[in-house]
Amino acid sequence: VLFRSLSLANREYDEAWQAAFAEVIADGIADGSFHADAPPSEIAARIAAVIDGAMLRRLLRSPGSEFDVAQAIALLVGTAR
């Protein structure tokens, strides 16, 4: 029961912050700041995956843990140079 409760709380938390990211991305696309090639919700999910992966690599002190999360996000929203 506890595991299911924690799992549900975690899923709700993930969905809430990904929805917030998606809203910002949608606004950026609408005002021309972002030039994305996927729906905002999909980009938000990709950003979550990038952040999760980068955090895990840092936690484990893996090679490549200096991965530039900001650059990866810029690529996803179409603002990378």
Side-chain angles (χ1 to χ4, degrees), residues 15-47:
E15 289 172 354
W17 77 264
Q18 283 187 42
F21 268 51
E23 185 177 337
V24 169
I25 294 163
D27 290 347
I29 291 169
D31 74 12
S33 297
F34 300 152
H35 308 284
D37 62 352
S41 60
E42 187 175 320
I43 296 168
R46 291 177 187 175
I47 290 171

Side-chain angles (χ1 to χ4, degrees), residues 3-14:
F3 179 75
R4 272 187 269 144
S5 296
L6 290 172
S7 179
L8 179 59
N10 185 59
R11 184 177 337 150
E12 289 172 351
Y13 176 78
D14 275 352

Side-chain angles (χ1 to χ4, degrees), residues 38-64:
S41 60
E42 187 175 320
I43 296 168
R46 291 177 187 175
I47 290 171
V50 166
I51 291 170
D52 286 348
M55 294 303 293
L56 181 59
R57 293 182 74 78
R58 284 198 177 144
L59 177 69
L60 298 175
R61 295 190 174 121
S62 299

